[in-house]
Amino acid sequence: MEIRVFTTSEELARAAARRVAESLRQRPDVVLGLPAGRTPIGVYTELRRLAAAGEADFSSATAFALDEFVGIEHTHPASFHRFIREHLIEHVGLPHERFHGLNGAADDLQAECDRYEAAIQRAGGIGLQLLGIGGNGHIGFNEPASELPAPTHRVTLLDGTRRASAALFDGDVARVPREALTIGIGTILKAESVILLAEGESKAASVERMVRGPITPQLPASFLQAHRAVEVYLDRPAASRF
Ligand code: GLP
């Protein structure tokens, strides 16, 4: 893993956005895997600026959202599909028919996961996967467990993850869905490159275990040790356990 530590959140966002823009220059039809969450907001803001300045061209790119809550439509305020569309896709000229999200409100959730996995494979797999990390070491919604399914799948959320997501539901943890759909660890590991972003003291322990600990399904991000092209962008608090 290549670890990069930044003094400010702005520097981290600028560097990660430049890295994405570089990837678009090298391969205009790159397939991006994109997370929701607080951490990538600065990167998406910077990517909007680069796109407006003509320094990032998304017109031939494809993008897949990383995960979604079960039971909510893509128009719901807490939808990750909506989040990524509003923070990035609508503003950078990526054609909307090439932005894919998981439908958490599908009648048949297994069929939805299979459809999504097939769409990713049809697109040629993920070229550049951006990730955040949960305080418990999850990536996407791949929660710590005794084993981790490889492809896109349905998952039961842990209490801590539901509490951490309450802000998206007016602070009411009871309204946070108990399940989610997520791209699996196998799909993430098949991406050509991975950039993981982490900010803040609350991520320091899971970041340290991701980099130094054993590869274990109890810390899903540790599987990234098995990937040959992972860059980790950290602010100082997230890097404070090294
Ligand atoms: C969420 C999402 C992840 C995200 C992570 C960190 O639950 N499922 O995709 O990367 O937790 O979120 P944040 O960046 O808001 O800390």
Side-chain angles (χ1 to χ4, degrees):
M1 286 184 182
E2 183 188 329
I3 314 277
R4 302 185 62 186
V5 183
F6 299 87
T7 310
T8 66
S9 172
E10 290 74 22
E11 281 172 38
L12 187 158
R14 273 198 298 274
R18 273 199 306 271
R19 174 68 181 74
V20 175
E22 181 54 33
S23 170
L24 286 162
R25 269 191 292 277
Q26 280 172 5
R27 194 186 304 174
D29 62 351
V30 68
V31 178
L32 301 168
L34 299 174
R38 283 177 296 274
T39 318
I41 289 177
V43 182
Y44 294 159
T45 304
E46 184 62 14
L47 281 171
R48 295 201 303 270
R49 195 190 67 72
L50 290 175
E55 292 171 42
D57 180 0
F58 288 83
S59 62
S60 302
T62 295
F64 286 89
L66 178 63
D67 50 11
E68 185 62 282
F69 292 106
V70 160
I72 63 172
E73 305 277 348
H74 67 89
T75 48
H76 189 285
S79 160
F80 288 171
H81 188 264
R82 173 174 169 169
F83 179 98
I84 297 165
R85 196 174 63 236
E86 291 185 349
H87 280 86
L88 187 72
I89 305 297
E90 281 176 354
H91 311 281
V92 296
L94 193 152
H96 71 95
E97 67 276 12
R98 286 211 302 274
F99 173 51
H100 306 271
L102 281 152
N103 178 9
D107 290 333
D108 183 341
L109 292 167
Q110 183 57 50
E112 174 61 8
C113 291
D114 295 345
R115 176 197 72 78
Y116 205 63
E117 189 66 29
I120 292 172
Q121 300 320 323
R122 240 189 345 268
I126 307 284
L128 176 60
Q129 177 70 57
L130 295 189
L131 294 173
I133 184 170
N136 65 3
H138 72 213
I139 46 178
F141 270 133
N142 292 279
E143 295 277 46
S146 54
E147 46 187 51
L148 299 173
T152 304
H153 62 283
R154 180 178 183 172
V155 63
T156 299
L157 298 176
L158 299 177
D159 288 346
T161 298
R162 293 183 64 234
R163 279 196 299 276
S165 304
L168 297 169
F169 295 87
D170 299 326
D172 183 0
V173 71
R175 286 177 49 206
V176 179
R178 294 184 179 278
E179 292 183 294
L181 305 180
T182 185
I183 288 180
I185 291 284
T187 313
I188 292 171
L189 290 178
K190 277 192 268 176
E192 284 167 36
S193 319
V194 176
I195 297 179
L196 183 137
L197 314 164
E199 293 183 353
E201 171 70 33
S202 67
K203 305 292 174 68
S206 58
V207 166
E208 197 262 344
R209 289 178 66 201
M210 167 180 77
V211 177
R212 296 235 174 100
I215 297 179
T216 166
Q218 296 300 340
L219 202 290
S222 65
F223 277 85
L224 296 175
Q225 291 176 30
H227 193 286
R228 57 184 162 29
V230 177
E231 295 161 53
V232 181
Y233 285 53
L234 305 174
D235 67 359
R236 289 193 189 284
S240 60
R241 296 277 182 111
F242 291 138

